[in-house]
Amino acid sequence: MNDKVILVVLDGLNLKVAQDCLGYLNGLVEYKKATQYSLYSELPSLSRPLYECILTGVAPIESGIVHNNVTRRSLFESVFSLAQAQGKTTAAAAYHWVSELYNRSPYDPVRDRHTHNESLQIQHGVFYHWDHYPDEALILDGEYLRQEFDPDFLLVHSMNIDDTGHKFGLDSPEYRNSARHADIILSNFLPTWIEEGYQILITSDHGMNNDKSHGGTLIEEREVPLYLIGDRFSHLDVAIKQTELCGLVCEVLGLTHQKAFNEDALA
Ligand SMILES: [Zn+2]
């Protein structure tokens, strides 16, 4: 057993598109190596508010991170802050807003793109600030951090699916193919992560609509997948809220925390 956690956030991935297009991940589900849940994004269904929600368990209305241009550090304990304070190693390959929320704001690419500083909440980071930064490069950044620094908690956060949705909309071959592409890239690395016993969560912040955007209450903007892999999860048919992901990760990491989580999701 391994209590290390890898959280993969595929930005802007709608639930139905995940179910239809992620052949490898859904293959894992068919072979009982993963369980797929669905969850509703908190509101507004926007990226930065929901990064904060996933990583702190605090909904946007409560966190104050209510739109994408709220450029400041989080005011709440996060998986990163709790893990770092309790002697764990933290790492992230993620969009630069994550660096702004938990490390330093505003983001300075010269200083922050490559981060190695044990005193920061995210101790090892490779951050990017291009929405079209290739998912393949991003996953390689995450794998580099994993192999080089052996983090207890690793966030891997890709942007191409969201970016493609903004260009072509939900019901487009381009959007669906970007999801298929992410699935293929993940299939290069997940077998090793599974073999090494990591506890793995794969989810999204929000979905996408046919207006090439998201932010509101449409089902296609709010419904996102959650795949759980690993022996610390119960794999039972339970309801999991987006605000409970942080607590779930904290529990698996063995952290002392006050975050909400669904106990039935754990083994
Ligand atoms: Zn977006």
Side-chain angles (χ1 to χ4, degrees), residues 49 52-60 62-64 76-77 243 246 259:
E52 171 78 341
C53 177
I54 291 168
L55 292 161
T56 67
V58 182
E62 306 283 350
S63 73
F76 295 87
E77 296 282 16
T243 49
C246 173
K259 304 294 186 183

Side-chain angles (χ1 to χ4, degrees), residues 80-88 254-257:
F80 292 116
S81 69
L82 290 163
Q84 189 259 357
Q86 294 176 45
K88 306 276 189 190
L255 299 174
T256 302
H257 68 94

Side-chain angles (χ1 to χ4, degrees), residues 48 68-74 95-115 120 127-129:
R48 194 192 299 247
N68 285 337
N69 297 324
V70 180
T71 307
R72 62 161 170 80
R73 291 180 80 231
S74 169
Y95 198 58
H96 65 296
W97 293 352
V98 174
S99 176
E100 291 186 329
L101 281 166
Y102 307 107
N103 277 0
R104 297 179 286 221
S105 186
Y107 172 80
D108 173 355
V110 173
R111 180 192 60 188
D112 299 326
R113 177 160 153 69
H114 297 280
T115 292
L120 293 174
F127 300 103
Y128 62 96
H129 47 282

Side-chain angles (χ1 to χ4, degrees), residues 11 47 162 166 206 208 214:
D11 205 292
S47 289
D162 182 73
H166 286 297
H206 54 73
M208 185 59 61
H214 51 84

Side-chain angles (χ1 to χ4, degrees), residues 19-46:
Q19 289 170 332
D20 289 347
C21 298
L22 304 184
Y24 171 71
L25 273 178
N26 287 295
L28 290 177
V29 173
E30 281 194 9
Y31 277 76
K32 310 263 185 262
K33 293 176 188 297
T35 307
Q36 188 239 290
Y37 299 87
S38 56
L39 41 89
Y40 286 95
S41 83
E42 291 293 325
L43 293 172
S45 51
L46 291 170

